[in-house]
Amino acid sequence: MKHLITLKDITTDDFNNILKLAIKLKDENKKGIPHHLLKGKTLGMIFTKSSTRTRVSFEVGMYQLGGQALFLSSNDIQLGRGETIYDTANVLSRFLDGIMIRTFKQSDVEDLAKYGTIPIINGLTDLTHPCQALADFLTIYEEKKKLEGLKITYVGDGNNVTHSLLYAAALSGMNMSVATPKGFECDEEVVATALAMAKKTGAVLEFTNDPEKAVSGADSVYTDTWVSMGQESEKAEKVKKFDGYQVNEKLMGYAKEDAIFLHCLPAYRGFEVSEGVIDGRWSRVFDEAENRLHVQKAVMAMTMGDK
Ligand code: CP
Ligand code: NVA
């Protein structure tokens, strides 16, 4: 694996290898066994959007791998003043061993990889959030001891997180149902690609506007904010249109008895999820957040490590 730009670019073997290495690194980490797989290496972390989990988990992850991370806010680097991706990629490739970028356009991440000579890791774009889906599937695996044949349901906005979950489901053979309000469905191209990928593993991917139908029989139920970064002006309209799409105790009643609840966070209690669910017996959201650290260390080791 050279980069991690989107999960549609990787194979089921890559996907399984990331989770396997993440489990090993997590176990070693808990036992205090050092694993300096990236000793002396430097990761640049470009952010053009806010972050708590991504920023901290990548920085701590690099430190635990024996390297270091540089936080590069777009407010401070010349990219924010109009320097091109082409020049940025070329220059940063001379200093760094890898770049993690969180930004708006998926094509900017692709261009960094195209013009630079170092591994590029996608830390979220408007279209995808691959590191998140990897952490989510690790969390499900830890709970259920398998992925293939389970059912994950996503309720809410068809967004970057949903798209990466669809690719992860397709890669791992997990069935996925997505319930979105009309007009907030997933990107058509992503859906077509995920459906084609799913043919190889037998994953069944379904799309509906009916949350109760979607949640029926689910092993895990997932939601995300209705208002993603960059959509702040749409908040009032979205809150109206998403009425009926809150994951609450009643909706969880349609899932399996032992179903878990996941959310990439940050969460907005009383909107996409009720307090009773996110703070209740179903919730695994903090294990899920922790797993960002472990899967990203695996991704960094596999892309930036000595081959
Ligand atoms: N889930 C996630 O990516 O969180 P941050 O926005 O805090 O990085
Ligand atoms: N869909 C959300 C995810 C945040 C981690 C956003 O893009 O803002």
Side-chain angles (χ1 to χ4, degrees):
M1 249 176 60
K2 186 146 194 276
H3 306 285
L4 181 67
I5 294 173
T6 162
L7 293 178
K8 78 173 181 193
D9 291 346
I10 72 168
T11 63
T12 294
D13 276 350
D14 292 331
F15 185 85
N16 292 337
N17 288 337
I18 296 169
L19 295 196
K20 224 158 107 185
L21 182 56
I23 290 167
K24 179 173 178 276
L25 295 175
K26 182 171 181 175
D27 182 56
E28 288 178 355
N29 183 252
K30 300 283 174 199
K31 291 179 178 148
I33 302 169
H35 36 237
H36 290 167
L37 303 176
L38 297 180
K39 194 168 186 313
K41 303 218 176 194
T42 307
L43 176 79
M45 309 190 299
I46 302 176
F47 282 91
T48 72
K49 290 176 174 173
S50 307
S51 169
T52 298
R53 280 142 289 268
T54 305
R55 176 176 176 180
V56 177
S57 56
F58 268 102
E59 187 158 343
V60 170
M62 257 327 261
Y63 176 72
Q64 292 182 0
L65 290 170
Q68 59 170 340
L70 294 180
F71 175 65
L72 305 170
S73 161
S74 62
N75 294 330
D76 303 325
I77 60 171
Q78 300 288 8
L79 190 65
R81 295 182 59 247
E83 188 168 16
T84 62
I85 292 277
Y86 177 84
D87 289 355
T88 305
N90 273 286
V91 171
L92 292 182
S93 292
R94 304 289 178 107
F95 300 134
L96 299 169
D97 301 290
I99 295 174
M100 188 286 299
I101 177 166
R102 162 168 291 195
T103 193
F104 294 86
K105 284 158 64 185
Q106 181 80 16
S107 60
D108 283 352
V109 185
E110 289 162 5
D111 286 347
L112 266 185
K114 186 164 139 198
Y115 301 130
T117 56
I118 54 176
I120 305 299
I121 299 170
N122 175 356
L124 178 147
T125 67
D126 288 347
L127 193 68
T128 58
H129 196 1
C131 295
Q132 183 64 54
L134 286 165
D136 303 336
F137 274 56
L138 174 59
T139 312
I140 298 171
Y141 181 80
E142 288 175 334
E143 282 289 328
K144 307 286 177 193
K145 308 296 172 218
K146 63 173 188 173
L147 296 175
E148 196 173 353
L150 294 178
K151 176 177 176 180
I152 181 170
T153 296
Y154 178 95
V155 179
D157 190 26
N159 64 14
N160 44 9
V161 169
T162 332
H163 295 156
S164 288
L165 288 171
L166 280 168
Y167 290 146
L171 283 171
S172 62
M174 191 184 291
N175 303 320
M176 179 162 173
S177 59
V178 178
T180 52
K182 284 204 170 69
F184 297 94
E185 286 88 358
C186 292
D187 179 85
E188 279 178 23
E189 210 179 305
V190 170
V191 170
T193 307
L195 286 170
M197 289 163 67
K199 281 195 187 136
K200 289 191 201 142
T201 56
V204 178
L205 309 179
E206 293 173 317
F207 302 87
T208 173
N209 304 115
D210 180 348
E212 292 174 2
K213 187 175 146 216
V215 170
S216 287
D219 298 282
S220 52
V221 179
Y222 201 115
T223 190
D224 182 15
T225 179
W226 294 337
V227 186
S228 283
M229 288 180 276
Q231 301 178 339
E232 289 74 13
S233 64
E234 297 163 41
K235 183 172 174 188
E237 185 211 340
K238 283 189 111 174
V239 167
K240 259 193 245 152
K241 295 210 166 134
F242 281 70
D243 187 33
Y245 286 81
Q246 182 187 78
V247 177
N248 51 32
E249 290 85 330
K250 179 167 177 277
L251 193 60
M252 285 305 291
Y254 290 87
K256 283 194 185 148
E257 178 52 31
D258 63 351
I260 60 169
F261 171 75
L262 298 174
H263 189 309
C264 58
L265 307 179
Y268 300 90
R269 288 165 175 78
F271 291 91
E272 76 273 10
V273 62
S274 69
E275 204 176 299
V277 168
I278 194 166
D279 300 319
R281 68 173 175 90
W282 304 274
S283 185
R284 299 293 183 275
V285 298
F286 299 124
D287 296 320
E288 180 187 7
E290 180 191 328
N291 281 336
R292 292 290 303 280
L293 171 71
H294 308 297
V295 292
Q296 288 161 195
K297 282 168 69 182
V299 168
M300 289 190 285
M302 287 167 66
T303 52
M304 295 167 61
D306 296 324
K307 301 280 172 342

